[in-house]
């Protein structure tokens, strides 16, 4: 999508402009390392899109957009430490290269640098944006803790799962859009509609991620097949299998999810239950449900349909990844 390429170029130039040149290099070099690897940089793009939707000044939004990107990478560094992950974006993780202590410190540094990117905003706008940003960070921490808890909790409900992915994934996308809208001067109602659009797109995106863990092309997806099953993640596939399985299937599922093992029999056993309970089609329907809710919130925003088109394209792009 041409508009996405244009936004990515804007973000890339800004990141290059604000490359860290501070000392000690042992702290700032790893921060530059993870930021330079890029990825799609969707969250800062969402800030710029939210700002453009309401006719805002792009120069005013670029540093807050970087704040979101720096914050996101801070969470990735710490996630990789918690998950003991050797790779991120097909490159060695920071704690693998430099040790856990440097990983923790460089992550903390990115978080604090992120806050500094809001400092150019006028006082009331600064206060509004930092309030959204801080609340988002706290929810993300709560979501991460729920995710950790669920690996050993045998009583995770469907609502628990939705809350966890909303906090871990949905809220950051939602707040990125909202911060852009607030900087542009959008009214409270429209900014919240855009927040809810982002939230439900984020929820649908994470459900798709969970779906692709089992049903995706791993070479294209870049992840270990059925990694969530190995890790006992109580994703939506697990939830639907419990709901629609027989009592025997539920018992077998709980048995496999009580063991953290690389045993291939576990993967085959769980996937067999998924097939029998037809979770695949149910999960795809749930993705479309949240996409539909997102579109309804977008429709309520008081701007022209023409201005909304990139948001629809972005949602479709995120939810039609290779299977």
């Amino acid at each position: 999508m041409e508009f996405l390429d244009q936004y990515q170029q804007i973000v890339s130039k800004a990141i290059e402009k604000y490359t860290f040149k501070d000392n000690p290099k042992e702290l700032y070099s790893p921060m530059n390392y993870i930021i330079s690897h890029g990825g799609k940089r969707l969250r800062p793009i969402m800030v710029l899109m939210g700002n453009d939707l309401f006719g805002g000044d792009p120069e005013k939004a670029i540093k807050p957009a970087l704040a979101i990107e720096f914050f996101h990478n801070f969470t990735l560094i710490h996630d990789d430490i918690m998950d003991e992950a050797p790779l991120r974006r097909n490159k060695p993780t920071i704690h693998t290269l430099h040790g856990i202590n440097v990983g923790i410190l460089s992550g903390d540094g990115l978080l604090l640098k992120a806050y500094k990117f809001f400092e150019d905003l006028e006082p009331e706008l600064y206060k509004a944006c930092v309030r959204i940003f801080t609340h988002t960070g706290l929810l993300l921490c709560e979501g991460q803790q729920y995710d950790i808890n669920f690996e050993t909790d045998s009583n995770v409900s469907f609502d628990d799962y939705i809350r966890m992915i909303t906090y871990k994934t949905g809220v950051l996308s939602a707040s990125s859009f909202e911060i852009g809208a607030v900087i542009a001067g959008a009214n409270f109602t429209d900014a919240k509609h855009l927040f809810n659009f982002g939230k439900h797109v984020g929820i649908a995106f994470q459900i798709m991620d969970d779906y692709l863990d089992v049903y995706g092309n791993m070479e294209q997806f870049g992840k270990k097949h059925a990694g969530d099953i190995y890790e006992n993640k109580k994703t939506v596939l697990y939830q639907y299998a419990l709901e629609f399985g027989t009592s025997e299937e539920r018992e077998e599922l709980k048995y496999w999810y009580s063991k953290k093992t690389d045993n291939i029999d576990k993967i085959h056993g769980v996937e067999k239950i998924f097939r029998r309970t037809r979770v695949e089609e149910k999960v795809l329907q749930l993705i479309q449900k949240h996409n539909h809710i997102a579109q309804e919130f977008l429709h309520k925003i008081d701007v022209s349909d023409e201005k909304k088109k990139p948001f629809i394209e972005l949602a479709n792009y995120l939810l039609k990844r290779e299977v």
Side-chain angles (χ1 to χ4, degrees):
M1 291 181 292
E2 189 177 338
F3 80 91
L4 206 56
D5 292 338
Q6 291 172 349
Y7 280 125
Q8 284 172 336
Q9 288 174 20
I10 292 169
V11 173
S12 294
K13 284 180 182 176
I15 286 173
E16 190 174 338
K17 179 180 178 181
Y18 292 103
T19 297
F20 299 119
K21 299 178 176 68
D22 314 70
N23 287 312
K25 288 186 170 38
E26 292 81 4
L27 172 66
Y28 289 101
S29 178
M31 291 161 63
N32 286 328
Y33 172 80
I34 191 166
I35 291 292
S36 68
H37 290 169
K40 294 184 175 67
R41 292 173 172 157
L42 292 171
R43 290 156 192 85
I45 286 171
M46 289 172 180
V47 176
L48 299 178
M49 288 179 68
N51 186 66
D52 283 347
L53 182 64
F54 298 101
D57 178 0
E59 289 300 317
K60 198 172 181 179
I62 188 62
K63 287 176 80 172
L66 291 187
I68 295 292
E69 180 67 359
F70 281 34
F71 170 78
H72 175 58
N73 280 277
F74 143 71
T75 68
L76 298 183
I77 294 173
H78 284 199
D79 279 356
D80 289 339
I81 292 170
M82 285 184 268
D83 293 342
E84 299 179 357
L87 296 174
R88 165 70 62 181
R89 297 166 183 154
N90 291 319
K91 294 185 181 294
T93 48
I94 285 176
H95 72 274
T96 302
L97 291 173
H98 303 286
I100 289 175
N101 290 345
V102 170
I104 292 170
L105 280 174
S106 57
D108 292 345
L110 278 176
L111 173 61
L112 294 168
K113 287 287 189 179
Y115 272 97
K116 290 185 68 63
F117 277 124
F118 290 107
E119 289 177 353
D120 290 350
L121 299 173
E122 53 264 37
E124 284 304 309
L125 197 51
Y126 171 84
K127 185 177 177 181
C129 289
V130 169
R131 184 189 300 118
I132 296 167
F133 185 69
T134 303
H135 182 60
T136 299
L138 288 169
L139 288 180
L140 198 143
C141 289
E142 291 176 19
Q144 178 70 3
Q145 186 62 58
Y146 281 129
D147 195 22
I148 293 168
N149 292 352
F150 292 173
E151 290 182 26
T152 54
D153 187 348
S154 59
N155 296 309
V156 178
S157 70
F158 178 82
D159 288 342
D160 291 334
Y161 163 79
I162 293 294
R163 176 179 60 182
M164 183 270 289
I165 66 169
T166 300
Y167 289 4
K168 270 199 71 174
T169 305
V171 168
L172 186 55
S173 298
S175 297
S176 299
F177 282 128
E178 184 181 19
I179 285 172
V182 167
I183 292 170
N187 65 53
F188 178 83
T189 301
D190 280 342
K192 281 303 172 190
H193 286 331
L194 188 58
F195 174 92
N196 283 311
F197 166 80
K199 181 178 79 172
H200 285 281
V201 168
I203 291 170
F205 178 84
Q206 184 58 54
I207 295 170
M208 176 62 86
D209 212 53
D210 295 344
Y211 170 88
L212 290 173
D213 181 74
V214 174
Y215 297 105
N217 181 322
M218 288 301 108
E219 288 185 8
Q220 292 179 332
F221 195 36
K223 285 177 69 176
K224 176 181 179 180
H225 173 70
D228 288 344
I229 298 175
Y230 281 114
E231 297 294 327
N232 295 331
K233 301 278 189 184
K234 312 299 193 305
T235 67
V236 65
L237 286 78
Y238 172 86
Q239 297 295 335
Y240 278 150
L242 275 186
E243 182 179 351
F244 295 100
T246 64
S247 58
E248 290 83 2
E249 287 168 339
R250 285 195 291 272
E251 286 305 311
E252 183 181 352
L253 203 59
K254 289 178 179 178
Y255 167 79
W256 285 124
Y257 275 75
S258 69
K259 300 178 178 298
K260 200 163 185 178
T261 172
D262 281 354
N263 187 337
I264 195 67
D265 291 340
K266 173 180 177 177
I267 307 303
H268 289 160
V270 171
E271 288 185 339
K272 185 171 64 177
I273 295 170
F274 286 172
R275 285 194 298 273
R276 287 203 301 254
T277 51
R278 301 174 71 179
V279 299
E280 180 179 1
E281 61 188 66
K282 295 176 177 65
V283 170
L284 291 174
Q285 288 168 4
L286 185 64
I287 291 167
Q288 289 311 312
K289 174 187 172 183
H290 281 281
N291 189 24
H292 178 69
I293 294 170
Q295 306 293 336
E296 287 182 332
F297 278 111
L298 184 66
H299 180 70
K300 292 176 183 178
I301 297 172
D302 188 21
V303 298
S304 69
D305 288 344
E306 188 65 27
K307 284 190 169 186
K308 296 174 186 176
K309 281 183 180 178
F311 294 82
I312 296 169
E313 288 181 39
L314 178 65
N316 290 337
Y317 165 74
L318 292 175
L319 302 178
K320 288 183 179 176
R321 292 176 288 163
E322 290 295 327
V323 177

